Amino acid sequence: MANIVFNVAKGRLAAYADLPLTNDALIMVPLAAAGLGSDATLMDCATLTAVKAAATEQTTLGRKILTGVTATVDNTNDRVNIDCADVTWTATAGAAIGAVVICYDGDTTAGTDSDIIPLTKHDVSMTPDGSDFTLTISDFARSS
């Protein structure tokens, strides 16, 4: 479950999770543990460029496009559950990660980090050691 929802994404999570455009995607961006900005600072970031000014992207692992994204209305609990398939990095290397950010990329063919909207931040502690690492995801966000 998300530790924070970025201010720019509040109320829009389900719409982004529906992936309304032709070349859009949700992407997961790993952030290095060293120099990771506070939740209060990150929450105000409106683009991935701004997130990267407050934290360092762990580029060795690389970004992942989320698959199996679903936004399910849960009338019983009066919320929307947003889920995706688990994410695996193979033969991990590079700096330790302290968080991942899930972002909406409206154009995966031509967009830039200044066009990518951060949605949620998740605290994750992992030190790459050459082995595979799977991040098990069960409803990465719920909106009520």
Side-chain angles (χ1 to χ4, degrees), residues 10 18 21 50 86-87 101 131 144:
K10 291 180 178 169
D18 280 338
L21 303 175
D86 296 346
V87 175
V101 174
S131 64
S144 58

Side-chain angles (χ1 to χ4, degrees), residues 48-101:
L48 183 55
T49 298
V51 170
K52 290 170 50 175
T56 302
E57 180 178 357
Q58 206 280 30
T59 57
T60 307
L61 287 177
R63 299 175 184 182
K64 293 288 189 173
I65 293 177
L66 301 184
T67 60
V69 177
T70 59
T72 305
V73 175
D74 178 349
N75 288 323
T76 302
N77 294 301
D78 298 324
R79 65 185 183 212
V80 173
N81 303 320
I82 305 169
D83 195 17
C84 67
D86 296 346
V87 175
T88 299
W89 285 275
T90 57
T92 59
I97 62 169
V100 295
V101 174

Side-chain angles (χ1 to χ4, degrees), residues 8-57:
V8 71
K10 291 180 178 169
R12 298 181 181 166
L13 285 172
Y16 289 132
D18 280 338
L19 301 174
L21 303 175
T22 302
N23 295 313
D24 61 347
L26 294 185
I27 61 170
M28 181 175 285
V29 180
L31 301 178
L36 185 61
S38 70
D39 285 354
T41 297
L42 289 169
M43 190 178 301
D44 292 336
C45 296
T47 66
L48 183 55
T49 298
V51 170
K52 290 170 50 175
T56 302
E57 180 178 357

